[in-house]
Amino acid sequence: MKPVQFETPIVFWHSIDDAEPALPRAVRVYLCEDGKSLAESWMESEGVIVLHASTYSERLAQILEYTTQALPEAPLVVILNFPDMRMERLLELGAQEVVTNPAELIPAIRTAATRKARECSLRSNRYLDPLTGLPNRYLFQDRLEHSLEAHKRSKQPMGLVILDLNHFHRLSESFSHAAGDAVLAELGERLRSVTRKSDTLARIGGNTFALIAENLRQTRNLIQVCEKISAQLDVPVTFQGEKIKLSGSIGAALAGEADHDAGNLILHAEQVLSGAKQIGQNSYVIYSAHSAEDRIRGGLEKAIYHALDNRQISMEYQPQMSMDGERIYGVEALMRWNHPVFGHVPPEQFIPVLETTGLIEKFGMWALESACQQFRQWLDDGLMPEDARVSVNLTSRQFFQPDLADQILGILDEVGLAGKYLTLEITEAMIMEGNNRTADTLARLRFENIAIAIDDFGTGYSSFASLRTLPIDYLKIDRDFIKSVGVDSAGDAIAGSMIHLAHSLKLKVIAEGVEQESTQSRLVGLGCDECQGYLFSKPLAAERVPEFVARCA
């Protein structure tokens, strides 16, 4: 914990029940609207938290309990306008000081900071791992119990992730115990850099780390957490000039699927951790409960491991057209799974299975190579125009690989396809989660004339600044916005705004899911550049594309 600078301490202030704040002048005060903003503000710039209320209330107690659990290292003061017999209860819930006289607030702030720093120092000796400085198993267990209690009340998705380094004993045998310690220390730092301060990252065993991921916005975020952790294993650790390659397995579980019980949650994460070890290095699996739907999903998980080897996976291609529907500009490549028992499995079912089993990276690269090979064949046959492109979707896991550009350029070189024929589709969420490294990757791909498209535009939270500065060529407006175009004025206005925004940034626009002539006609009036949808063609097997292109000629 950073020591609070007493000269000008920072105070994060939240007043409850409309109490008029008597703000001190001797400190820098930041007003926060609720407990969540308190937590977010403190994590950005540590200081002292002050909760202000007229008197004791259950609402005050709830916010105090939430804050102490979310920020166990934050010093906290409660100031009341009127004394109350239950003030001791506030101390029991985690406040370091409770005052009723505004004149006592500055000394209380200093006392709270000193007490919390002392408390953290004492606790670190008993509850922190000496090698990594992370919480050990004892502190982890305590925080897990507290997090589950908070989860019961908030109902916010919460997950547990367990990472095991594979064959760790061989590392010590091949190098030294010092090398093993260096790997653990370095990995601890890497994991710390990609986890939020509000989460608990711990080393719970010799070669085992665990993460309590709280207040996930949605269940899918647990997948993203696993991917970020897995990505930290891709880069070797350098020790005394030697590069040590890492290999690990990840198991994860959601609290809601373990009945809020810490023992069950750990058990379920460890169960799927064993499955991840069977898949291969740096894989992850997320636990699913055994409802009827999940049993079907379990069958899909088992079947999909062999889907590529058994030639059950294929590609289909949906034409991307000029707005009048007379010229083909390219095709979007889409993965399909035809299982001998399950039949045609919809992508919305098997793509999440690929993600939770950790196979999405392997299947994604196979799809990219297959699509590029097929498009090269069409070009050689004179089927596609010289300015046409094949669009391939990138998964989040692929996008954040450090060697993504090398893999893609390697596939293009092997297939013999120039970069100008390829468009990579990524989502808004991936753009917003990106960093300088991913921006460099996009720039390198763009240098090779590979186009970048933002898929499902409008469903995420893109920053206009990101759209302006990143090397992007296309925006693909999501079908949920397109279906109302030509139907009501609001739909026209939204789509028109997106098209105007894109054109002002010198980007082209592709409308997805165009199914009605009225929609096509209105999009022409709004200035849309290209479109795709069932009005022109559903996704086609490769052998049916030449027939479609011939009709466009």
Side-chain angles (χ1 to χ4, degrees), residues 106-139:
I106 299 301
I109 288 172
R110 297 185 177 186
T111 300
T114 302
R115 285 179 175 173
K116 178 56 71 170
R118 175 63 174 165
E119 175 188 325
C120 292
S121 176
L122 292 173
R123 185 168 49 186
S124 67
N125 295 328
R126 181 178 177 186
Y127 294 115
L128 295 187
D129 171 49
L131 179 61
T132 62
L134 297 173
N136 60 20
R137 177 179 289 275
Y138 301 107
L139 182 55

Side-chain angles (χ1 to χ4, degrees), residues 220-290:
R220 180 176 172 79
N221 292 141
L222 186 58
I223 295 173
Q224 297 169 342
V225 171
C226 291
E227 289 175 345
K228 286 183 178 181
I229 291 176
S230 177
Q232 303 313 305
L233 302 172
D234 293 335
V235 181
V237 171
T238 301
F239 177 74
Q240 296 181 352
E242 294 279 350
K243 288 190 175 181
I244 302 175
K245 187 176 181 180
L246 305 182
S247 172
S249 302
I250 300 167
L254 284 167
E257 299 189 22
D259 299 324
H260 307 112
D261 180 85
N264 284 339
L265 189 62
I266 294 172
L267 176 63
H268 292 159
E270 289 179 341
Q271 285 176 343
V272 292
L273 177 63
S274 299
K277 292 181 178 181
Q278 297 176 11
I279 299 173
Q281 68 175 28
N282 305 348
S283 298
Y284 64 86
V285 178
I286 297 177
Y287 175 84
S288 292
H290 299 295

Side-chain angles (χ1 to χ4, degrees), residues 367-549:
L368 176 65
E369 183 175 1
S370 298
C372 289
Q373 285 178 335
Q374 182 61 72
F375 201 77
R376 170 61 194 270
Q377 184 62 55
W378 286 332
L379 287 170
D380 290 345
D381 294 343
L383 184 68
M384 287 289 172
E386 270 297 309
D387 58 352
R389 292 176 176 269
V390 57
S391 295
V392 180
N393 293 277
L394 282 184
T395 67
S396 176
R397 185 179 176 89
Q398 288 174 282
F399 183 63
F400 291 111
Q401 283 183 279
D403 61 343
L404 172 65
D406 289 334
Q407 290 194 54
I408 293 173
L409 297 177
I411 287 174
L412 291 177
D413 185 59
E414 183 177 342
V415 171
L417 184 69
K420 69 176 184 177
Y421 296 113
L422 176 62
T423 298
L424 298 173
E425 297 191 10
I426 58 180
T427 65
E428 290 183 80
M430 289 154 63
I431 282 287
M432 295 307 295
E433 290 178 23
N435 51 32
N436 291 337
R437 188 182 69 190
T438 52
D440 292 343
T441 297
L442 291 178
R444 183 180 173 194
L445 294 171
R446 182 73 170 278
F447 181 77
E448 298 294 337
N449 295 316
I450 298 171
I452 305 296
I454 303 297
D455 194 17
D456 299 333
F457 182 72
T459 61
Y461 304 93
S462 290
S463 161
F464 290 165
S466 296
L467 296 178
R468 180 176 59 84
T469 58
L470 289 174
I472 298 168
D473 301 274
Y474 298 93
L475 294 185
K476 299 188 71 177
I477 303 180
D478 185 72
R479 65 184 69 247
D480 285 344
F481 296 99
I482 295 300
K483 66 184 179 183
S484 59
V485 172
V487 176
D488 60 60
S489 57
D492 293 357
I494 293 172
S497 298
M498 291 180 178
I499 293 170
H500 176 73
L501 166 66
H503 286 169
S504 68
L505 297 173
K506 296 182 171 41
L507 306 177
K508 290 187 177 181
V509 180
I510 302 175
E512 295 184 290
V514 178
E515 299 181 357
Q516 306 295 330
E517 290 184 359
S518 58
T519 303
Q520 174 196 17
S521 176
R522 189 68 190 105
L523 285 169
V524 170
L526 293 173
C528 190
D529 301 294
E530 302 176 25
C531 54
Q532 66 184 89
Y534 278 30
L535 178 62
F536 309 99
S537 175
K538 65 180 182 180
L540 302 170
E543 60 268 19
R544 296 189 57 193
V545 171
E547 176 188 350
F548 176 86
V549 175

Side-chain angles (χ1 to χ4, degrees), residues 77-81 87 97-102 104-105 108:
V77 174
V78 175
I79 179 170
L80 303 177
N81 290 349
M87 288 166 53
E97 285 282 271
V98 179
V99 297
T100 57
N101 183 353
E104 299 174 353
L105 184 57

Side-chain angles (χ1 to χ4, degrees), residues 5 7 35 78 89 142 186 192 217 225 275 309 312 355 377 414 416 448 466 485 494 525 550:
Q5 299 299 318
E7 293 78 6
V78 175
R89 173 65 177 154
D142 179 69
E186 170 68 18
R192 202 196 311 261
R217 289 189 177 89
V225 171
D309 295 336
Q312 298 167 6
E355 290 176 329
Q377 184 62 55
E414 183 177 342
E448 298 294 337
S466 296
V485 172
I494 293 172

Side-chain angles (χ1 to χ4, degrees), residues 287-306:
Y287 175 84
S288 292
H290 299 295
S291 64
E293 180 180 348
D294 290 322
R295 283 197 295 271
I296 294 174
R297 182 185 177 90
L300 294 179
E301 288 180 356
K302 293 179 181 177
I304 206 165
Y305 289 133
H306 309 290

